[in-house]
Amino acid sequence: MSLGILTSDSYVSLSEYRDQYFRGNRFDQEGLLKRSATLYVGNLSFYTTEEQIHELFSKSGDVKKIVMGLDKVKKTACGFCFVEYYTRGEAEHAMRFINSTRLDDRVIRTDWDTGFKEGRQYGRGKSGGQVRDEYRKDYDAGRGGYGKVVQTF
């Protein structure tokens, strides 16, 4: 189920995902998501560059800032980023037109984010990267091979 938000020129949905580390209640978080001009971008290749992301996302509007997700141990890219626009309308265009497109032979996914805060650029997995990559059982060259848990067996 998605929560619909009627805006002046479009109908935008919030996903069910909520950041467990958000400081505040669910109502506060949803209020920020409804006004945000920041997107979380996931399922990126570990080899995708900030320049490639800027090239793609600037087609929807003026990009204010891009923050690449980093492995907290190795400080290398780990498959996600945050893209901040100057206006909500530009971010809505990106959600509508860029979500589920291909970048570096990967189908990327976008979701609303409450806004980047320092420290959120680091993966939250035990090994330093993203949690989802630790449990992946398939081989994915664009995301570092097999999942970390599978590599230990």
Side-chain angles (χ1 to χ4, degrees):
M1 176 181 131
S2 297
L3 301 172
I5 302 163
L6 189 59
T7 61
S8 59
D9 65 340
S10 67
Y11 188 82
V12 180
S13 296
L14 294 180
S15 72
E16 287 295 312
Y17 175 78
R18 296 294 176 268
D19 183 0
Q20 331 173 40
Y21 296 98
F22 178 79
R23 295 192 187 259
N25 63 40
R26 187 174 176 96
F27 180 78
D28 293 339
Q29 188 176 27
E30 287 178 3
L32 287 171
L33 290 170
K34 291 175 185 178
R35 295 185 305 274
S36 179
T38 303
L39 303 178
Y40 166 88
V41 182
N43 202 37
L44 295 172
S45 167
F46 288 5
Y47 306 105
T48 299
T49 65
E50 186 174 331
E51 290 78 19
Q52 289 172 286
I53 292 166
H54 190 274
E55 175 74 23
L56 177 62
F57 282 83
S58 65
K59 293 175 195 254
S60 293
D62 291 330
V63 174
K64 183 176 183 180
K65 179 168 61 171
I66 296 171
V67 179
M68 297 297 290
L70 301 174
D71 181 300
K72 66 183 167 196
V73 176
K74 298 183 244 171
K75 306 296 187 256
T76 57
C78 69
F80 72 96
C81 73
F82 298 94
V83 176
E84 182 180 355
Y85 286 95
Y86 286 96
T87 69
R88 172 71 179 201
E90 293 168 324
E92 287 177 3
H93 284 290
M95 280 290 288
R96 192 176 308 116
F97 300 116
I98 297 177
N99 187 35
S100 299
T101 61
R102 286 192 172 276
L103 179 62
D104 269 352
D105 288 326
R106 303 190 64 78
V107 177
I108 60 172
R109 54 190 165 77
T110 59
D111 202 354
W112 293 108
D113 189 78
T114 56
F116 176 76
K117 290 189 177 33
E118 189 59 39
R120 292 194 57 218
Q121 72 268 36
Y122 298 112
R124 295 177 176 169
K126 292 176 186 165
S127 62
Q130 288 189 278
V131 175
R132 67 188 293 261
D133 286 319
E134 294 186 346
Y135 297 98
R136 190 172 24 78
K137 294 185 175 147
D138 59 323
Y139 182 80
D140 189 340
R143 292 187 70 87
Y146 288 106
K148 303 294 184 208
V149 173
V150 174
Q151 290 177 12
T152 60
F153 293 110

